[in-house]
Amino acid sequence: MQYLCLKLKHIIMLREKIKEILCSYLLVTGTFEDDTFRAEVNDYTDIASVWIKSNPELLVFRGNLIHREPFCPFYTHGGQKHLDEFTAFAILKMGGVCDGIRRLEQGKLEKHPTGIHGDILGVYDPSDGMFDHHHKEIILDGFYRATAGLVWEHYGVFAICNVMGINFVGLDDKYIEFISDYVEENFIRGIDANDADPKFRKGANATCSGGDVVIPSIIDVFHALGESSCIMMLESIIEKMIKQADELWEFKKYAQDRLRFDLTQFNIGLGRWVGVLGMPSEYRLTWRFGLDFIPSDVDFIITESNHPGASKSLLAMPLNKNTRDLKIPIIKQEWFNGFIHLSGFIAGHDDWGQLEKLAIASAIEKYGTSSQTDNSSGKS
């Protein structure tokens, strides 16, 4: 069996041109000889969409017609279970590619005519359904790859589409790349490093993480669970990552398109300005992992809150996403009757103006500048 696979980062073709080629092929081969079915098609380019929707085992991505065998087995080794091949199976299961895992005994490791093979047989050949990394070190984009990363590179798109319920036709390449990269960087790379990176395997003090996910803590749980529970856990983590990346994608678009209109800068004297961002409530849980997209001149965020003691929150921005140190801590003022967390990170009040005033006062106290402020710059 041959598998038509894709590499997310290396296949770039114009979708509309491919639609034309696909439509021409379908017409020439007589796929649409049925006049009733033809009547469902509004125009020439819709033929491909209707045909693909009626064939759920097909996927168009980057202009390529991708055919996957639905519900084929995933073959791997028996004995001690490893996190990388179980993560690979979770990816394939979420993508509708594999329906079950078959663990083969050491003396019976052989290639099967149907199915995906992971972590066995010493072959990496995606076109033949082979995903092993033990025959040689595989380093892509500077990172060691194990079975999980190799499978994600080729089949992660199926999991993403199924989790997000994306229409395969008209898929946004940049959106899929963004989500794929996010999941890889924040989870898959850690799984691979645990199995394939010699620095991690040999160093007693080495750390291994993908983003905020610390892999050793997952391994402890993994080995304590049965096979089905392990797979459910990994599916849950991957699904959470995909949805988190989707939220971050939306936040990125907001930061690029609207954020500047929601930012007010206040002049507090001596050439210093304080940036207070009024953020829409739908992003209040996203900004933490979207700090890369927030301009450096944002010092505070004010947004709607779910806190029982206040309907709005003032958030002090950290210096960067890797530290808890704040640019300007929120400092308690005698006139402020809302709550302030002891860390100076968050304050709450029902009055937006009170929170804005508290942000300015905290900046003035930190920098020792004039209490005469203005926001003559308005929205910037």
Side-chain angles (χ1 to χ4, degrees), residues 26-164:
L26 295 176
L27 290 171
V28 169
T29 55
T31 304
F32 293 102
E33 290 180 352
D34 187 333
D35 290 336
T36 303
F37 187 76
R38 187 187 295 273
E40 297 179 14
V41 180
N42 295 323
D43 58 45
Y44 185 68
T45 57
D46 278 348
I47 295 176
S49 299
V50 173
W51 183 66
I52 291 167
K53 288 175 183 176
S54 65
N55 292 270
E57 76 279 6
L58 296 169
L59 168 66
V60 168
F61 182 73
R62 290 198 176 285
N64 285 263
L65 188 63
I66 308 300
H67 182 276
R68 71 176 190 265
E69 282 293 322
F71 309 119
C72 64
F74 176 73
Y75 295 99
T76 188
H77 58 78
Q80 183 178 6
K81 62 183 187 288
H82 295 155
L83 195 56
D84 70 319
E85 73 259 12
F86 270 72
T87 301
F89 173 68
I91 294 165
L92 293 165
K93 183 171 179 286
M94 294 175 72
V97 182
C98 294
D99 66 337
I101 187 168
R102 312 285 191 271
R103 304 188 69 201
L104 307 176
E105 296 179 11
Q106 188 62 37
K108 297 181 180 180
L109 296 179
E110 59 182 5
K111 186 178 184 302
H112 290 253
T114 61
I116 305 292
H117 301 71
D119 220 39
I120 56 173
L121 302 177
V123 177
Y124 173 46
D125 183 0
S127 65
D128 202 23
M130 308 294 289
F131 293 88
D132 197 7
H133 64 100
H134 291 99
H135 56 299
K136 64 177 182 179
E137 290 183 340
I138 300 177
I139 302 176
L140 301 176
D141 300 325
F143 294 90
Y144 286 87
R145 297 304 175 97
T147 301
L150 298 177
V151 167
W152 180 260
E153 180 78 10
H154 294 274
Y155 285 103
V157 63
F158 298 124
I160 294 170
C161 288
N162 282 350
V163 169
M164 299 309 303

Side-chain angles (χ1 to χ4, degrees), residues 303-339:
T303 188
E304 300 297 320
S305 171
N306 286 333
H307 195 282
S311 60
K312 298 173 181 62
S313 294
L314 174 68
L315 307 169
M317 289 292 93
L319 292 171
N320 58 65
K321 66 179 182 181
N322 298 315
T323 181
R324 292 179 178 271
D325 294 335
L326 305 173
K327 294 181 181 179
I328 305 174
I330 299 171
I331 300 173
K332 175 68 175 176
Q333 306 294 316
E334 291 184 4
W335 48 264
F336 184 75
N337 60 357
F339 78 84

